[in-house]
Amino acid sequence: MLRFILNRLLMALPTIAFVSVTVFALIRFIPGDPAALMLGDGAEPHQIAAMRTELGLDQSMPQQFLIWAGNVLQGDFGRSIVNDEAVLPLVVSRFMVSAEIVVVAVLLASLIAVPAGVIAAWRQNSLMDLALVGTATVLLSIPTFWLGLLLLLLFGLKLGWLPVLGYVSLADNVIGGMLYLVLPIMTLVIHEAGVLIRMARASTLEVLRLDYITHARAKGLSEGAVLWRHAFKNAFGPTWTMIGLILGNLLGGIAVIETVFTIPGLGRLMVDSIFARDYPVIQGCLLLVSLSYVLVNLVVDLLYPLFDPRVVAE
Amino acid sequence: MKKFTFNGLIGGILIAILLATAAIGLFWTPFDPMKLSFTARLAAPSAEHLLGTDEFGRDVLSRLMIGARASVWIGALTVGFATVCGTLIGLVSGYARGWTDGLIMAVNNALLAFPGILLALGLLAVFGANQYGIIFALGIAYTPSMARVVRGAVLSLREREFIEASRVMGNDELYTMFRHILPNCLAPITVLATSMFGWAILSESALSFLGLGVPPPAPTWGNMLAAGRPFIQQAVWLGLFPGLCIALTLLGINLLGDALRDRLDPRMRGLK
């Protein structure tokens, strides 16, 4: 077990190293003087000179990387070109907003979709199965930003049940804050449920064909026991991995949802920073999201033996 | 040969409509998609303008047709880029094995550790937000998935007898690789490329919706939705039709992709 954990932790290291090198290299790929890019258009020559020394531009690339990585490890992600804010606190505060939405959405989607997928597999080719798979395929084909717009139009503008635009922090006003989160979370749940139903169904089908299920049935176990105690336990592994991937992908792709509902999250910050050519902030967003992606997948891997102890033995 | 399923047929029809619309849009649209008309601003769907007009009085149907062209074009180039690069990388990696394979796959897996859309956003910051920026950014972001799939197929193929036979006959490695191994990888490549076409169209419209895609006034489904957003209360059709186009296209690709996978991927046989 300890070996398994250490192995997985070690496997994450090269990925983290590569992610940081890529994020660092990104700025160096852009034509022009990195120091001038980091300071924006209004910079004075002496400021640029100071920045050049700070970034170590007179030194070799590997040394420049070490300077940058050293700063990042000390929590110094640089300052925003646009408003001179320190990047780390800015990025972290926006990240919390996005994470709140994504985590709740993925949790709800899993609670709805996984049982639905298992049941669809159990009644394979029945009318219910066809209906569930058909619905899932349609749901996953609807782009989230369009679904969000439609829900906004229906519940916000036509029915007037929910606030249309904006965001109130849960820390300031719990009830009010939750009202603003209903539509974005609903949008993501509907879309991701489509993906997860199909995944849960496919992996359950694979398990239901195996001999031990026939054996369990032959023993006279109830269908409920066969399905949930025997089949589900073995079938959940791939779905669990998928949930991790979705969580990570959503953190990267939430910009569209945040745009539809004007939520000040990390995705919106990143897109705005791309428009403003605010490279320190872009770097900060990229680094934070990709590291959390690696971390989420690591945690998913580490918890995997809970559902399938065989992976430890391999 | 198993017959194509009903779902596959629907998927095929939807994609055929998409391709036909894009092709017709090359030569003919009901109205000039760029022509402004201040007398016909936000006109509801009617016999003259079947799908209504937008906030500048431009015909929505004509713009959707041109948008279909942009989606197909960008999707095809992106998939083409990722397929060619990914296949070459996967072929070399799987065929060479040893340290070449180890090195290539280390970089490949590290790239896969980025969420695709995030990698694309980062690359767009470098390339600039425009049509070719998108193609490169998405193409690079999708290449590692293709490389991994092709490598997997090559690894199992290269142990088979007919590859051995090709070598014994004195064919050189390159010939064996392209004449015997590559054609046998086409099934998984086709399945993945089909899904990728869907990812590319979705990502392109999402990026255009964010304003990072093809810049207006050139219409894409994504930027039409973004532009129509402030007006959806008065002009529902501006929020409805571009999204419907994207959703139907993705549905078509998903259905077709499922059908292809059932038919071409032996692991899925018997599951349906």
Side-chain angles (χ1 to χ4, degrees), chain A residues 18 22, chain B residues 100-114 144:
Chain A
F18 184 85
T22 311
Chain B
T100 322
D101 179 40
L103 190 69
I104 295 180
M105 279 304 124
V107 176
N108 204 60
N109 290 336
L111 274 175
L112 280 173
F114 278 100

Side-chain angles (χ1 to χ4, degrees), chain A residues 207-218 226-227 230-231:
Chain A
V207 170
L208 282 178
R209 288 187 304 170
L210 299 179
D211 289 340
Y212 81 94
I213 296 292
T214 319
H215 178 248
R217 281 191 174 129
V226 170
L227 198 60
H230 291 260

Side-chain angles (χ1 to χ4, degrees), chain A residues 1 4 14 35 40 76 81 87 96 114 122 150 164 170 174 181 184 204 226 239 259-260 265 282 293:
Chain A
M1 190 66 198
F4 169 78
D76 177 9
I81 295 173
V87 168
M96 298 315 282
V114 173
W122 177 51
L150 293 181
V164 177
L170 284 180
V174 178
L181 294 181
T204 310
V226 170
T239 311
T259 303
V260 171
I282 300 176
Y293 189 66

Side-chain angles (χ1 to χ4, degrees), chain B residues 63-78:
Chain B
R63 291 178 68 73
L64 286 175
M65 288 173 72
I66 303 295
R69 200 173 78 187
S71 285
V72 170
W73 178 237
I74 293 177
L77 282 184
T78 303

Side-chain angles (χ1 to χ4, degrees), chain A:
Chain A
M1 190 66 198
L2 190 68
R3 237 184 100 120
F4 169 78
I5 295 177
L6 281 178
N7 202 1
R8 283 298 141 101
L9 285 175
L10 280 178
M11 272 165 64
L13 285 180
T15 313
I16 293 175
F18 184 85
V19 163
S20 0
V21 170
T22 311
V23 172
F24 161 80
L26 204 68
I27 296 290
R28 303 299 198 262
F29 279 134
I30 299 168
D33 178 0
L37 286 174
M38 298 298 278
L39 287 167
D41 289 335
E44 304 283 335
H46 72 271
Q47 287 176 303
I48 295 180
M51 181 55 93
R52 289 186 69 86
T53 328
E54 200 190 316
L55 293 175
L57 290 186
D58 47 349
Q59 300 178 33
S60 71
M61 251 331 166
Q63 274 171 321
Q64 293 182 31
F65 173 70
L66 289 180
I67 294 175
W68 177 79
N71 286 340
V72 165
L73 283 177
Q74 290 168 34
D76 177 9
F77 282 53
R79 307 190 80 82
S80 159
I81 295 173
V82 174
N83 52 18
D84 202 38
E85 256 183 279
V87 168
L88 185 64
L90 174 70
V91 174
V92 168
S93 71
R94 298 298 196 90
F95 178 79
M96 298 315 282
V97 174
S98 305
E100 198 170 83
I101 297 173
V102 167
V103 170
V104 176
V106 170
L107 203 67
L108 286 177
S110 314
L111 287 177
I112 299 167
V114 173
V118 173
I119 289 172
W122 177 51
R123 286 280 172 252
Q124 191 192 358
N125 293 333
S126 71
L127 206 59
M128 185 165 62
D129 178 31
L130 287 179
L132 278 170
V133 174
T135 315
T137 311
V138 170
L139 291 184
L140 78 94
S141 305
I142 300 178
T144 47
F145 49 96
W146 186 50
L147 185 61
L149 269 182
L150 293 181
L151 293 176
L152 196 77
L153 188 63
L154 179 65
F155 292 106
L157 296 173
K158 295 282 178 214
L159 298 172
W161 291 353
L162 291 163
V164 177
L165 301 173
Y167 173 80
V168 173
S169 164
L170 284 180
D172 295 342
N173 178 349
V174 178
I175 306 286
M178 282 204 288
L179 284 180
Y180 281 98
L181 294 181
V182 172
L183 283 180
I185 289 177
M186 191 153 85
T187 310
L188 290 179
V189 168
I190 293 177
H191 181 79
E192 300 309 335
V195 179
L196 284 174
I197 287 176
R198 285 165 46 113
M199 189 73 208
R201 176 179 178 273
S203 44
T204 310
L205 274 183
E206 216 159 317
V207 170
L208 282 178
R209 288 187 304 170
L210 299 179
D211 289 340
Y212 81 94
I213 296 292
T214 319
H215 178 248
R217 281 191 174 129
K219 274 197 310 192
L221 288 183
S222 72
E223 276 297 291
V226 170
L227 198 60
W228 297 108
R229 288 227 319 267
H230 291 260
F232 177 67
K233 265 173 91 175
N234 279 321
F236 188 59
T239 311
W240 172 245
T241 305
M242 190 62 154
I243 292 175
L245 287 176
I246 287 181
L247 200 60
N249 270 320
L250 277 184
L251 282 174
I254 196 177
V256 283
I257 289 291
E258 291 171 356
T259 303
V260 171
F261 296 103
T262 55
I263 295 166
L266 191 73
R268 199 53 236 176
L269 177 68
M270 182 156 171
V271 172
D272 290 339
S273 308
I274 293 179
F275 282 131
R277 304 188 164 269
D278 195 343
Y279 293 110
V281 180
I282 300 176
Q283 273 187 318
C285 294
L286 278 175
L287 197 62
L288 193 65
V289 179
S290 40
L291 288 185
S292 50
Y293 189 66
V294 173
L295 194 70
V296 166
N297 283 320
L298 184 68
V299 172
V300 165
D301 273 359
L302 289 178
L303 292 180
Y304 200 97
L306 289 180
F307 311 110
D308 192 348
R310 286 172 300 185
V311 290
V312 181
E314 271 165 21

